[in-house]
């Protein structure tokens, strides 16, 4: 499994989209070859829900929230509830790592379709905590969010099966 080559030159939209897609694909790279048991193990004592599969599930919900709800203003279901704010981190009955990764890939495809052609200066249809948000802000935030969680995947993966990321 490999990531796409990043362009060294391009307009803002090309470069931002390429970096976001590179980090999205990095999620799959970091999970490649991970055993099912290890994928669901949460090795960090202070973070009992932080497993590799849980991180991927969380990233899926983040993609949905920011692109479907905020950028497009769609009324799609949230991936958490008031009763269980950590719901998106939990394993669904019968879930495998492959299922979680497939949902993540599909959600990223939805996000790409929503963002395609939007001017980075455009305001999103939805709001965040009552505040207007630009498409540029969401794209940059998603690079940060995905990159940060890829760092968490590095740590969780190393503790799960000894594989060290780059």
């Amino acid at each position: 499994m490999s990531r796409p080559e990043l362009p060294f030159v391009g307009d803002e939209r090309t470069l931002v989209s390429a970096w976001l897609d590179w980090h999205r694909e990095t999620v799959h790279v970091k999970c490649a070859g991970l055993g099912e048991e290890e994928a669901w193990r949460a090795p960090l004592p202070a973070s009992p829900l932080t497993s590799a599969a849980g991180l991927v599930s969380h990233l899926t919900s983040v993609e949905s929230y920011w692109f479907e709800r905020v950028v497009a203003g769609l009324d799609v279901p949230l991936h958490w509830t008031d009763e269980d704010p950590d719901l998106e981190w939990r394993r669904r009955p019968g879930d495998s790592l492959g299922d979680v990764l497939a949902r993540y890939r599909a959600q990223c495809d939805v996000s790409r379709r929503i963002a395609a052609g939007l001017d980075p200066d455009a305001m999103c249809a939805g709001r965040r905590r009552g505040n207007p948000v630009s498409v540029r802000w969401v794209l940059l935030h998603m690079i940060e969010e995905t990159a940060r969680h890829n760092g968490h995947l590095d740590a969780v993966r190393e503790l799960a099966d000894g594989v060290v990321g780059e």
Side-chain angles (χ1 to χ4, degrees):
M1 182 167 294
S2 65
R3 293 167 282 206
E5 289 293 322
L6 286 165
F8 291 104
V9 177
D11 62 22
E12 176 189 22
R13 182 51 180 257
T14 299
L15 294 174
V16 167
S17 295
W19 273 104
L20 180 52
D21 281 340
W22 190 87
H23 284 293
R24 287 169 169 157
E25 195 58 35
T26 297
V27 170
H28 295 275
V29 169
K30 293 193 177 297
C31 291
L34 186 59
E36 200 63 38
E37 183 178 325
E38 290 81 13
W40 297 97
R41 186 179 314 136
L44 304 171
S47 301
L49 296 175
T50 305
S51 65
L55 282 159
V56 177
S57 181
H58 170 70
L59 284 168
T60 303
S61 72
V62 168
E63 288 276 345
S64 173
Y65 176 82
W66 284 107
F67 287 97
E68 291 181 293
R69 289 184 80 84
V70 176
V71 175
L74 301 174
D75 187 21
V76 297
L78 292 170
H79 298 262
W80 57 88
T81 65
D82 288 339
E83 296 78 32
D84 190 355
D86 296 321
L87 182 62
E88 85 263 25
W89 291 86
R90 298 183 196 286
R91 187 178 194 173
R92 295 180 189 178
D95 252 356
S96 69
L97 176 60
D99 296 333
V100 173
L101 287 167
R103 277 196 300 273
Y104 178 61
R105 190 173 298 285
Q107 188 63 56
C108 290
D109 288 342
V110 169
S111 298
R112 275 188 213 91
R113 283 193 301 274
I114 289 170
L118 292 178
D119 182 337
D121 289 326
M123 298 310 292
C124 296
R127 293 178 166 260
R128 169 70 170 166
R129 297 183 182 143
N131 297 303
V133 181
S134 72
V135 172
R136 175 181 286 106
W137 192 94
V138 172
L139 292 169
L140 292 172
H141 171 65
M142 288 305 300
I143 291 170
E144 176 273 327
E145 176 95 10
T146 309
R148 181 167 38 90
H149 287 312
N150 276 330
H152 297 141
L153 275 169
D154 274 339
V156 168
R157 178 71 191 260
E158 184 175 351
L159 291 168
D161 68 359
V163 173
V164 178
E166 62 177 78

